[in-house]
Amino acid sequence: MTDQHTVLFVCVHNAGRSQMAAGWLRHLAGDRVEVLSAGSAPKDSINPVAVEAMAEVGIDIAGEQPKLLSDSAVQQSDVVVTMGCGDACPFYPGTRYEDWALDDPAGQGIEAVRPIRDEIKARVEALIASL
């Protein structure tokens, strides 16, 4: 990667999947990628089980805050990765979109969230390789 890319992760609540994906991308790509995340209907705080699952692999997302999806976040992104936000995500020509079908960690215990976390890591690694 020579140019810095901007990647936006979007899910409904911006409290689980998108936050874990953002954490992985920051961890694996460092400052080579600008990382954004947002939700179409953000929660008040991040899912504590998602925080716990990421902490198990040495990534701290506890200080993150769910954010409302905005047109400007989509417009400034080179890649928009959606995770179950459906039609709530605005579409702009020239922007690369990926839809990741992932289980929602909301209401799940740590045993159910770990495989989601690991699947997100694999997808983020593939995303990095494609940039």
Side-chain angles (χ1 to χ4, degrees):
M1 285 186 278
T2 53
D3 296 324
Q4 185 182 40
H5 295 277
T6 300
V7 176
L8 170 63
F9 294 104
V10 182
C11 67
V12 176
H13 300 303
N14 191 222
R17 295 168 287 189
S18 56
Q19 292 287 353
M20 289 191 289
W24 275 121
L25 186 55
R26 283 186 196 99
H27 178 75
L28 296 169
D31 61 2
R32 297 177 293 163
V33 178
E34 181 181 1
V35 182
L36 305 172
S37 71
S40 54
K43 289 282 191 183
D44 293 330
S45 61
I46 295 188
N47 179 338
V49 182
V51 172
E52 179 184 355
M54 294 302 285
E56 288 180 349
V57 294
I59 300 172
D60 181 10
I61 62 170
E64 298 298 325
Q65 186 65 34
K67 293 171 250 359
L68 181 62
L69 177 63
S70 67
D71 279 351
S72 65
V74 177
Q75 289 174 325
Q76 75 183 65
S77 299
D78 302 299
V79 181
V80 176
V81 178
T82 59
M83 304 173 196
C85 72
D87 295 333
C89 192
F91 179 83
Y92 292 97
T95 300
R96 176 176 151 195
Y97 290 85
E98 292 187 16
D99 185 52
W100 294 357
L102 296 161
D103 290 336
D104 189 346
Q108 304 291 328
I110 190 69
E111 294 297 327
V113 174
R114 285 181 183 127
I116 299 168
R117 173 200 66 203
D118 297 343
E119 173 69 16
I120 291 170
K121 178 186 180 189
R123 289 175 184 244
V124 166
E125 288 171 335
L127 176 65
I128 292 168
S130 74
L131 293 177

